[in-house]
């Protein structure tokens, strides 16, 4: 073998090169700008998503208000008046009352106007045991969509004197061949 390379001296050791002032300056600038750029990206994504959600909410609200349900304005009036009543009743109270009274009375007004949604929001443990009067379900058929678990079967009060409850299937799901769901008792033999 030919000695092309010289053998390193026996007492040599590896010394890591220390970066110079220029390298240290660039590293500092790079880390600072990296953090700033990351923060800017996060803010941009947050603002962009907020703007997109706001625009979508505006479009949905416009479509809903362009053709509102027939009982929307009276319900909105009840909720607004109850909130204003809370505001008036708490005008000389503490800061807590000024917040709690309007919110509480507006919530109470919304609960009166939208009873089915209020029950769903309250997250009742067993939705099969919710009692909804037949008059309420008849009036809600045309204005408020019921959730799936309540639309297939709803509990109504029986007209009998015993006061027992019975399950009444939703007339929309039953096909009896009649032209109106109110005529269900006329076609009871066709099941």
């Amino acid at each position: 073998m030919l000695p092309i390379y010289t053998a390193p001296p026996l007492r040599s050791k590896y010394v890591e090169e220390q970066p110079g002032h220029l390298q240290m300056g660039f590293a500092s600038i790079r880390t600072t700008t990296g953090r700033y750029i990351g923060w800017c990206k996060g803010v941009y994504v947050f603002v962009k998503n907020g703007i997109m959600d706001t625009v979508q909410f505006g479009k949905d609200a416009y479509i809903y208000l362009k053709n509102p349900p027939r009982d929307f304005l009276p319900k909105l009036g009840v909720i607004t008046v109850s909130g204003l009543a809370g505001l008036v009743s708490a005008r000389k109270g503490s800061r807590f009352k000024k917040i709690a009274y309007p919110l509480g009375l507006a919530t109470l007004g919304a609960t009166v106007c939208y009873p089915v949604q209020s029950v769903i929001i309250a997250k009742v443990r067993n939705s099969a045991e919710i009692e909804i009067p037949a008059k309420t379900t008849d009036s809600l058929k045309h204005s408020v969509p019921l959730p799936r678990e309540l639309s297939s079967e709803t509990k109504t009060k029986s007209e009998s004197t015993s006061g027992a409850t019975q399950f009444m299937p939703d007339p929309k799901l039953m096909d009896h061949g009649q032209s109106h769901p109110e005529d269900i008792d006329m076609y009871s033999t066709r099941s």
Side-chain angles (χ1 to χ4, degrees), residues 2-190:
L2 295 173
I4 299 175
Y5 300 104
T6 59
L10 295 175
R11 295 187 181 198
S12 65
K13 67 178 189 176
Y14 176 74
V15 177
E16 189 173 326
E17 183 180 354
Q18 296 295 324
H21 291 294
L22 188 61
Q23 285 180 325
M24 292 291 284
F26 280 128
S28 173
I29 291 171
R30 187 176 69 227
T31 56
T32 304
T33 56
R35 285 188 213 131
Y36 179 71
I37 290 173
W39 178 80
C40 288
K41 283 182 182 178
V43 168
Y44 171 74
V45 169
F46 178 76
V47 170
K48 178 183 168 192
N49 289 342
I51 290 172
M52 296 299 287
D53 291 344
T54 304
V55 167
Q56 186 61 42
F57 176 77
K59 287 179 181 178
D60 293 342
Y62 175 75
I63 290 170
Y64 182 78
L65 293 175
K66 188 175 179 182
N67 189 15
R70 58 188 160 97
D71 59 350
F72 174 72
L73 291 176
K75 288 180 179 181
L76 182 66
V78 168
I79 295 169
T80 303
V81 167
S82 60
L84 289 174
L87 193 64
V88 168
S89 65
R91 71 178 181 265
K92 292 185 179 179
S94 66
R95 188 175 292 169
F96 174 74
K97 284 184 179 180
K98 288 181 181 180
I99 294 172
Y101 281 20
L103 287 178
L105 288 178
T107 304
L108 182 66
T111 303
V112 169
C113 291
Y114 298 102
V116 175
Q117 287 83 355
S118 302
V119 170
I120 293 168
I121 290 171
K123 295 182 180 180
V124 176
R125 290 183 186 165
N126 190 358
S127 63
E129 295 184 17
I130 299 172
E131 290 188 19
I132 302 172
K135 185 177 180 181
T136 305
T137 56
D138 289 339
S139 66
L140 291 176
K141 280 180 200 172
H142 305 291
S143 63
V144 179
L146 290 173
R148 290 181 191 154
E149 62 266 5
L150 292 177
S151 64
S152 62
E153 292 181 348
T154 57
K155 237 186 207 185
T156 59
K157 287 281 187 187
S158 174
E159 272 93 23
S160 68
T161 57
S162 65
T165 56
Q166 63 181 3
F167 282 107
M168 297 281 297
D170 190 14
K172 290 180 184 177
L173 300 175
M174 297 175 56
D175 182 21
H176 293 287
Q178 70 268 19
S179 59
H180 297 289
E182 296 83 24
D183 299 335
I184 191 169
D185 56 335
M186 294 174 60
Y187 298 94
S188 61
T189 58
R190 296 166 99 194

